[in-house]
Amino acid sequence: MILSKLALTLTEQDINTGLATAFAKMGEGPQGEALKKVKDPRVSLKDGKLIFKCKASMGFLPVPVEAQIRLTPAQEGAALDITLAKVSLAMMGGDAIAGQLMGQLAGAVAGKPGLSVAGNTLTAELKTLADLRGITLGGRLRDIAIVNGTIALDFE
């Protein structure tokens, strides 16, 4: 498959359905026990950000977790930057928690083709990731817009 142009719009419901399916599938794998501690993962789209919320079992009480994520085209549209703009865990938030999460993410993606972490940003090289799925990207990511509960991606 060769993909040269695409205008794709996803709703919060589309993303949450995919998220539930992904969590169920990943729960069957080696990381399944850790994922069982994550309850009610949901995504909302507003104010130009993707907001991920869940409850994490830490001890005897579930703790609310929220991460605000910015998505931007990078490397002249050849990549997607996924930046952790803000994270809060219960009443705590700030750079220390974000740094710990990004450090764990950096370790998890080390050596994986098309993925890298710098600071609070995960960069996904779109051509490399598409190639892994047998898709040839002939275009570039021009724009990402998050408006009114939808995310629109424009490849050209």
Side-chain angles (χ1 to χ4, degrees):
M1 174 190 307
I2 299 173
L3 180 62
S4 296
K5 291 185 180 186
L6 174 69
L8 176 67
T9 300
L10 299 168
T11 66
E12 289 175 358
Q13 183 60 44
D14 296 330
I15 295 168
N16 285 315
T17 298
L19 185 63
T21 302
F23 263 74
K25 185 173 181 175
M26 289 186 303
E28 298 168 1
Q31 67 273 36
E33 284 305 311
L35 286 177
K36 288 179 184 172
K37 294 180 179 184
V38 177
K39 305 288 185 211
D40 304 322
R42 304 282 302 155
V43 166
S44 61
L45 303 165
K46 58 184 170 185
D47 300 328
K49 294 180 187 140
L50 182 147
I51 301 168
F52 174 82
K53 292 183 181 184
C54 69
K55 292 187 177 153
S57 297
M58 296 180 180
F60 60 93
L61 290 175
V63 176
V65 177
E66 178 179 308
Q68 295 184 17
I69 300 161
R70 283 191 319 267
L71 305 172
T72 53
Q75 301 172 13
E76 297 179 9
L80 171 65
D81 276 351
I82 304 162
T83 302
L84 183 57
K86 180 180 177 183
V87 66
S88 60
L89 179 66
M91 303 290 265
M92 299 179 300
D95 293 337
I97 294 171
Q100 288 176 350
L101 289 172
M102 294 308 291
Q104 290 177 0
L105 183 59
V109 303
K112 303 259 194 259
L115 298 172
S116 61
V117 173
N120 284 1
T121 300
L122 168 68
T123 299
E125 296 171 11
L126 301 175
K127 181 182 180 332
T128 302
L129 296 175
D131 285 347
L132 293 172
R133 296 288 184 198
I135 299 169
T136 301
L137 281 182
R140 296 199 173 266
L141 180 59
R142 285 188 43 221
D143 189 38
I144 299 173
I146 297 176
V147 181
N148 298 327
T150 64
I151 181 169
L153 298 121
D154 184 12
F155 286 91
E156 187 172 60

